[in-house]
């Protein structure tokens, strides 16, 4: 196993390197000078005011024997006396065997103070700081919470968000240090739940804290830096919001080079959603010679990649193309079964796709176990690929790696929400850190989060917001047996600023061709709109009410289905449904031209317009599903064509099982519903809450994602599905081109008046215009 010096365990800035130097000297001095404490020494310690049963005695003796912390001339130690800021500086400087600095001093109140040189040398190392008025106040007592922050900086431990002490205010400047040092045994409370943060730290307590800090530091044998991202989602081009792939990879490369400059290993991980449907991805799908998203990961020299849900949005074949384009980078998922998909099974046979991968860096084996969202089938299009329970699959793979002698094990998971990973860790054993994806959480100062595993070990859990806006940097310090000692202070989200260096290869080979492709779409005007088109996500938006973009999408599916009915030997569609989650632009398109790029931004996924024959009972159930989450927004919220209806939010909502695969209780929210068939005849489906046409047959047009029972639309089945060979983006483009002009009369902006609906809405506010 590679032995890392303490300097390896810190950020590469000059200030943190100076901190590391202090720790190096402290550890070396302790190893050479501090004797092992025995009961005989304890009995003869000579401090008249330190009893033999004092819990700090051994630590007092260790520091006094080396001259780090001395007693008084009268033979006393003063165990309960407070420690001042100047005294603590001298204790730490002596422990590190640092030469006191000479004047001039940084602080205005140090001239003539006995501790001045030691204060200055620690200030030079970046460990201590003064006050805004330029003073240091060496005679001020050090509080217990202040001592925690000082020791955390000295040791180089990352702050921890949550601790056990009820009297430490959440978010206080010292809370993270207190929680982190308590979790690794350096600091203890006055009780299990109290810390007394404002109390002065005593000399005897200082002895124990200093010794424990040094003991923990001495355990560290290896420092591993984990660089990670998730949810890149094809944000390849620089914008006013996103830095672009070339900026991201330039910063990632610089950070990794700096971390590895002294020989310490690093590993670079993606936690899934490595591409996303849309115009930037379509640049790859329309070019048989390039997969631009894959170039980001090969140029970024990623070591391993997890698999998210969006990788399956275009089906397993596109995922296979992406994997092939990533060269030798392994893909991991312990709970993904691809035996029913030959193109992916071939990668499994070759070892490119597996439950885990072992990455060897600096003669150290690092196991990375993957996990994919259990409900994959309900939110994407994996065809015959399936997912099983995460917990059992991950633990089995961790156990297998451990049996093979792999001591350091990471989990790279894409479980849609970091709370899922946080709830999973207490049930796991043997995972040293978790890199999550899918939730888009911005942890900020809470990075890394910590969760206690089944063995009582604190496990860092991290993620990044996505879209190449941040590099996650997790610094992990391990002992000689591969046990995690603590997460290092260099752990943080490193923002990728909009301006800065770029990777020239990605500028030329990714950004330039993708930008040209997107520009061509942006200049291709398909129609003109006389009304603002509302595609906002929620409150109000496509996930919690009717919008005119939702109406356009549903009408487009009716139009495309009817145009192609004869060619595919099916009847013309009566009703159309688009789920709000499939409308992706999250913006209002202003009055003026509507371009081909707009249609890609709105209809970003590879969803095929399809038709199926259903009965009135299934249609009523679909209506209930579409409003079941209200008033909360939901990706399953329906946008409809060919039907008008009202609903009652006070009535019982449809209830489905946790995985959205079975209706447990049918809803009672639909009050009235009327279908206008393709031949313009009307059928009353629901009257006064009762389904009056349960056996009537209707032709439903929707995307294949919904008609195969996904997103909670379990009343539909793939058995009678007919795909019509056109994506919902192509359908939308075709329809608005047919319209030429989108009028306010046909597609009013219903968000302007929250009480006016054109097709569906709550009881009492429903009008048809």
């Amino acid at each position: 196993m590679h032995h890392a010096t303490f300097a390896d365990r810190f950020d590469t800035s000059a200030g943190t390197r100076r901190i590391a130097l202090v720790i190096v000297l402290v550890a070396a001095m302790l190893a050479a000078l501090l004797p092992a404490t025995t009961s005989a020494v304890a009995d003869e310690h000579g401090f008249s005011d330190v009893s033999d049963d004092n819990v700090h005695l051994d630590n007092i003796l260790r520091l006094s024997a080396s001259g780090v912390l001395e007693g008084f001339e009268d033979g006393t130690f003063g165990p309960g006396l407070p420690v001042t800021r100047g005294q603590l500086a001298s204790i730490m400087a002596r422990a590190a065997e640092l030469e006191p600095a000479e004047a001039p001093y940084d602080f205005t109140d140090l001239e003539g103070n006995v501790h001045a040189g030691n204060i200055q040398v620690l200030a030079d190392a970046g460990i201590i700081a003064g006050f805004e008025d330029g003073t240091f106040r060496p005679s001020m007592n050090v509080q217990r919470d202040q001592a925690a922050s000082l020791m955390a900086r000295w040791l180089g431990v990352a702050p921890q968000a949550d601790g056990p002490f009820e009297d430490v205010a959440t978010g206080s400047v010292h809370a993270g240090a207190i929680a982190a040092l308590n979790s690794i045994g350096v600091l203890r409370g006055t009780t299990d739940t109290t810390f007394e943060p404002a109390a002065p730290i005593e000399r005897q307590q200082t002895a124990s804290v200093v010794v424990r800090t040094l003991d923990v530091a001495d355990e560290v044998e290896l420092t591993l830096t984990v660089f990670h991202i998730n949810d890149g989602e094809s944000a390849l081009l620089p914008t006013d919001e996103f830095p672009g792939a070339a900026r991201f990879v330039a910063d990632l490369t610089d950070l990794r080079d700096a971390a590895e400059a002294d020989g310490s290993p690093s590993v670079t991980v993606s936690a899934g959603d490595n591409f996303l449907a849309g115009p930037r991805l379509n640049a790859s799908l329309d070019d048989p010679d390039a997969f631009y998203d894959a170039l980001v990961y090969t140029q970024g020299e990623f070591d391993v990649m997890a698999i998210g849900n969006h990788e399956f949005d275009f089906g397993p074949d596109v995922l296979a193309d992406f994997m092939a384009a990533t060269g030798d980078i392994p893909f991991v998922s312990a709970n993904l079964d691809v035996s029913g998909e030959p193109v992916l099974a071939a990668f499994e046979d070759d070892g490119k796709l597996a439950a885990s991968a072992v990455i060897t860096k600096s003669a150290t084996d690092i196991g990375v176990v993957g996990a994919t969202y259990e409900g994959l089938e309900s939110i994407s299009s994996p065809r015959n690929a399936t997912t099983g329970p995460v917990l059992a699959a991950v633990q089995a793979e961790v156990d297998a790696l451990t049996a093979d002698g792999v001591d350091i094990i990471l989990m790279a998971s894409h479980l849609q929400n970091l709370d899922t990973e946080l709830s999973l860790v207490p049930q796991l054993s043997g995972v040293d850190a978790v890199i999550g994806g899918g939730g888009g959480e911005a942890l900020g100062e809470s990075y890394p989060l910590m969760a206690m595993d089944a063995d009582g070990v604190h496990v860092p859990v991290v993620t990044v917001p996505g879209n190449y806006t941040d590099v996650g940097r997790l610094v992990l310090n391990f002992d000689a047996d591969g046990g995690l000692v603590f997460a290092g202070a260099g752990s943080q989200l490193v923002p990728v600023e909009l301006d800065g260096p770029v990777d020239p290869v990605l500028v030329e080979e990714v950004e330039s061709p993708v930008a040209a492709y997107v520009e061509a779409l942006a200049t291709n005007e398909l129609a003109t709109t006389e009304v603002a088109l509302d595609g906002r996500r929620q409150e109000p938006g496509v996930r919690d009410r009717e919008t005119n973009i939702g109406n356009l999408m549903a009408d487009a599916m009716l139009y495309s289905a009817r145009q192609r009915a004869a060619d595919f030997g099916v009847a013309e569609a009566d009703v159309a449904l688009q789920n709000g989650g499939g409308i992706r632009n999250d913006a209002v398109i202003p009055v003026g031209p509507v371009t081909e790029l707009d249609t890609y931004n709105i209809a970003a996924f590879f969803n095929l317009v399809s038709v199926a024959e259903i009965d009135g009972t299934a249609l009523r159930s679909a209506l209930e599903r579409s409003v079941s989450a209200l008033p909360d927004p939901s990706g399953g919220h329906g946008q409809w064509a060919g039907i008008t209806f009202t609903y009652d939010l006070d009535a019982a909502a449809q209830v489905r099982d946790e995985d959205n695969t079975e209706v447990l209780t049918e809803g009672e929210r639909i009050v009235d519903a009327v279908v206008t068939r393709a031949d313009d005849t009307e059928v009353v489906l629901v009257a006064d809450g009762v389904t009056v046409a349960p056996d009537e047959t209707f032709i439903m047009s929707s995307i294949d994602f919904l008609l195969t029972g996904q997103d909670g639309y379990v009343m539909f089945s793939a058995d009678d599905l007919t795909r019509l060979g056109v994506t919902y983006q192509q359908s939308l483009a075709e329809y608005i081109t047919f319209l030429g002009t989108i009028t306010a009369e046909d597609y009013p902006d219903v968000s302007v008046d929250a009480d006016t609906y054109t097709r569906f809405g709550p009881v009492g506010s429903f009008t048809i215009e």
Side-chain angles (χ1 to χ4, degrees), residues 664-725:
L664 303 178
T665 305
E666 278 294 356
E668 300 175 358
R669 287 186 162 184
I670 303 303
V671 177
D672 300 288
V674 178
V675 175
T676 301
R677 289 188 178 278
D679 61 5
D680 289 330
T681 60
E682 291 189 350
V683 177
V684 177
L685 176 68
V686 181
D688 296 326
V690 178
T691 304
V692 295
D695 300 322
E696 191 80 18
T697 298
F698 301 95
I699 304 300
M700 165 72 79
S701 176
S702 187
I703 52 177
D704 54 350
F705 177 66
L706 298 185
L707 289 179
T708 53
Q710 310 304 318
D711 214 3
Y713 285 92
V714 296
M715 63 292 305
F716 300 143
S717 167
D719 295 342
D720 300 319
L721 176 68
T722 300
R723 292 178 172 86
L724 302 180

Side-chain angles (χ1 to χ4, degrees), residues 650-670:
D650 292 328
Q654 185 184 91
V655 178
R656 296 169 303 283
D657 64 353
E658 185 176 354
D659 295 328
N660 261 341
T661 59
E662 180 183 0
V663 174
L664 303 178
T665 305
E666 278 294 356
E668 300 175 358
R669 287 186 162 184
I670 303 303

Side-chain angles (χ1 to χ4, degrees), residues 336-610:
L336 180 65
D337 182 354
V338 298
S339 58
E341 288 294 338
V343 67
L344 295 180
F347 283 120
E348 195 170 51
D349 293 339
D350 293 339
K352 183 173 175 64
L353 173 60
S356 68
V358 176
I359 311 300
T360 302
K361 295 294 185 75
S362 301
T364 300
D365 288 340
I366 302 130
V368 183
V369 180
T372 302
Y373 179 54
E374 289 182 13
L376 176 66
E377 297 87 347
S378 69
I379 61 172
S380 193
S381 303
R383 206 160 59 198
N384 298 316
T386 60
T387 49
V390 170
L391 176 61
V394 168
Q395 189 62 64
E397 191 62 19
V398 170
D399 292 345
L401 289 172
T402 302
D404 288 340
V406 179
D407 295 325
I408 298 176
I409 300 176
L410 312 176
M411 182 172 83
S413 51
H414 195 93
L415 305 182
Q416 292 297 97
N417 188 309
L418 202 62
D419 286 341
T420 306
E421 277 90 351
L422 290 168
S423 64
L424 192 67
V425 170
Q427 304 173 74
L428 287 170
S429 175
V431 173
D432 294 303
V434 175
I435 298 95
E441 297 90 350
L443 300 183
E445 296 300 320
S446 297
Y447 181 104
L449 297 175
M450 303 293 284
M452 188 176 291
D453 73 4
D455 299 321
V457 177
H458 286 84
V459 176
V461 180
V462 295
T463 192
V464 303
N467 293 299
Y468 301 125
T469 58
D470 300 83
V471 178
R473 180 177 61 194
L474 179 62
V475 181
L476 301 174
N477 294 296
F478 294 93
D479 61 25
D481 296 323
L484 181 64
V485 182
F486 61 88
S491 302
Q492 66 179 117
L493 286 174
V494 183
V496 179
E497 303 296 338
L498 296 180
D499 295 321
V502 294
D503 184 286
V505 172
L506 291 184
V507 170
E508 179 179 354
E509 298 186 11
V510 173
E511 289 189 357
S512 293
V514 173
Y517 181 89
V518 173
E519 178 61 22
L521 298 178
T523 57
N524 183 20
E525 297 181 8
L526 303 181
T528 299
T529 180
E530 297 178 347
V531 59
L533 301 177
D534 188 3
R536 289 173 295 173
R537 179 165 293 193
Q538 60 199 51
E539 300 177 324
V542 295
R543 296 185 177 215
D544 54 29
R545 61 165 299 156
E546 176 184 355
T547 79
N548 51 12
I549 277 185
N551 290 340
L552 273 169
M553 294 286 290
D555 285 354
M557 277 189 281
L558 270 186
Y559 176 81
S560 295
R562 290 173 180 175
Q563 290 294 106
R564 289 164 173 77
D567 292 341
F568 284 84
V570 295
E572 292 190 5
D574 301 309
V575 181
L577 165 67
Q578 170 64 54
N579 64 322
I583 301 174
R584 305 300 294 184
N585 64 318
D586 194 20
V588 176
I589 298 175
V591 171
V594 182
T595 69
E596 188 176 6
L597 180 60
D598 289 326
T599 67
Y600 275 103
N601 290 333
I602 295 168
F605 298 137
F606 187 74
N607 292 320
L608 290 171
V609 177
S610 307

Side-chain angles (χ1 to χ4, degrees), residues 196-220:
E196 297 186 17
I201 189 168
E202 301 170 352
R203 281 167 55 83
Q204 59 187 352
Q205 295 168 340
T206 300
S208 290
V209 170
V210 169
V211 168
R212 291 188 207 119
T213 298
L214 297 170
D215 284 348
V216 167
D218 198 46
E219 291 181 36
V220 177

Side-chain angles (χ1 to χ4, degrees), residues 56-76:
H56 303 285
L57 176 60
D58 289 353
N59 296 324
I60 292 170
L61 293 177
R62 287 180 65 178
L63 293 190
S64 64
S66 62
V68 172
L69 188 57
E70 300 172 345
F72 299 103
E73 292 182 358
D74 63 359
T76 62

Side-chain angles (χ1 to χ4, degrees), residues 38-47 52 57 61:
T38 65
S39 59
V41 174
D43 291 339
E44 301 171 4
H45 60 72
F47 294 126
D52 290 346
L57 176 60
L61 293 177

